[in-house]
């Protein structure tokens, strides 16, 4: 399973765009990149998943360069309610051992 | 149901007692996972069930921990002879298969006194 590295914490202000970058230098051909969001006292929530280039949904965008050794989660115009821990995970979509290994995540603090 | 349901939501038990935690996955989800999260920490993988295959127990921290999944649906995580270091939030998740995003329950907060 590819190891991921992401910043421990980030601060932002309401209305700003937030970009959280994750490094995964040993990503394998069959690996997908998935991001989860976790609020206090809740289980993580799936945000977005991608393999290459760009993926966008109603919550966020995910940018993956051609070498796939990193990815960037982009949250447009954050609000106070976006304060949470964000996890970057890499997993093999073709394998039956589908467990995802969570790291420490990035704690995003959005300030007024 | 609409989401992953876990019970109880909170459990306080004396050291040395056994506890059972229950997880009701989303109907039709073949994969089920248990994780543990200690205060201020990330998620620690415990065990994974996929269909009728043998479970992946590689994350269970000791032989005091065991889990079952009956009929491919409900799962029970059992901790025998609980210790104070077992105090944590135990999270269950399910997914349609290994590729799609997981849906987590709200967890069971276990406190050993």
């Amino acid at each position: 399973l590819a190891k991921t590295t992401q910043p421990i914490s980030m601060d932002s202000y309401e209305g700003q765009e937030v970009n959280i970058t994750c490094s995964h230098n040993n990503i394998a051909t069959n690996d997908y990149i998935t991001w989860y969001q976790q609020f206090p006292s809740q289980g993580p929530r799936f945000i977005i998943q991608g393999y290459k280039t760009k993926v966008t949904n109603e919550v966020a965008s995910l940018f993956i360069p051609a070498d796939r050794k990193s990815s960037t989660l982009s949250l447009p115009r954050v609000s106070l309610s976006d304060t949470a821990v964000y996890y970057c995970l890499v997993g093999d979509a073709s394998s039956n051992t589908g467990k995802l290994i969570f790291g420490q995540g990035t704690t995003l603090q959005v300030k007024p | 149901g609409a989401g992953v349901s876990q019970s109880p939501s909170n459990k306080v038990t004396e050291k040395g007692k056994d506890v059972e935690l229950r997880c009701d996955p989303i109907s039709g989800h073949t994969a089920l996972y248990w994780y543990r999260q200690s205060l201020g920490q990330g998620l620690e993988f415990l065990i994974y069930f996929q269909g009728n295959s043998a479970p992946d127990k590689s994350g269970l921290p000791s032989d005091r921990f065991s889990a079952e999944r009956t009929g491919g649906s409900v799962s029970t995580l059992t901790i025998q002879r609980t210790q104070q270091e077992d105090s944590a939030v135990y999270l269950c998740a399910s997914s349609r298969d290994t590729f799609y995003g997981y849906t987590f329950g709200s967890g069971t907060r276990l406190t050993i006194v």
Side-chain angles (χ1 to χ4, degrees):
Chain A
L1 294 170
K3 177 178 164 59
T4 61
T5 303
Q6 54 184 121
I8 295 294
S9 64
M10 293 181 69
D11 288 342
S12 182
Y13 291 92
E14 283 190 291
Q16 289 188 332
E17 178 184 78
V18 171
N19 295 309
I20 306 174
T21 296
C22 178
S23 297
H24 27 79
N25 291 318
N26 297 320
I27 190 168
T29 302
N30 290 330
D31 285 345
Y32 275 70
I33 300 151
T34 309
W35 285 80
Y36 283 79
Q37 174 190 56
Q38 185 178 27
F39 298 115
S41 302
Q42 295 185 25
R45 179 176 76 113
F46 172 87
I47 301 178
I48 198 166
Q49 185 176 67
Y51 184 81
K52 62 179 179 181
T53 62
K54 177 184 175 182
V55 179
T56 297
N57 62 22
E58 66 278 4
V59 176
S61 294
L62 178 60
F63 298 92
I64 306 167
D67 67 5
R68 304 200 326 121
K69 293 184 184 299
S70 67
S71 59
T72 298
L73 176 73
S74 180
L75 305 172
R77 299 178 299 281
V78 294
S79 63
L80 295 177
S81 62
D82 292 315
T83 293
V85 179
Y86 292 83
Y87 296 95
C88 164
L89 301 99
V90 172
D92 183 352
S94 68
S95 170
N96 282 329
T97 56
K99 66 189 182 213
L100 294 178
I101 304 299
F102 288 76
Q104 293 300 306
T106 297
T107 298
L108 172 65
Q109 179 70 49
V110 179
K111 302 175 182 178
Chain B
V4 177
S5 177
Q6 291 189 247
S7 60
S9 55
N10 280 285
K11 177 75 175 177
V12 180
T13 194
E14 291 181 351
K15 177 181 171 182
K17 295 287 178 72
D18 297 352
V19 294
E20 283 190 353
L21 311 179
R22 177 187 168 101
C23 173
D24 260 298
I26 292 173
S27 178
H29 280 194
T30 58
L32 185 147
Y33 316 81
W34 283 97
Y35 287 84
R36 176 170 75 172
Q37 188 169 35
S38 301
L39 188 62
Q41 301 297 310
L43 281 78
E44 175 189 3
F45 167 76
L46 297 177
I47 189 169
Y48 156 60
F49 297 88
Q50 172 60 47
N52 296 320
S53 303
D56 177 351
K57 304 179 182 180
S58 59
L60 294 179
S62 77
D63 59 7
R64 296 186 295 104
F65 289 72
S66 63
E68 290 185 340
R69 187 179 186 192
T70 53
S73 180
V74 172
S75 177
T76 302
L77 177 69
T78 301
I79 309 173
Q80 295 179 312
R81 306 180 302 281
T82 52
Q83 305 293 315
Q84 287 193 325
E85 61 263 28
D86 299 335
S87 294
V89 175
Y90 288 80
L91 291 157
C92 175
S94 69
S95 70
R96 243 188 308 169
D97 61 31
T98 59
F99 174 72
Y100 290 95
Y102 297 6
T103 300
F104 279 84
S106 296
T108 294
R109 182 175 299 278
L110 176 65
T111 304
I112 309 301
V113 297

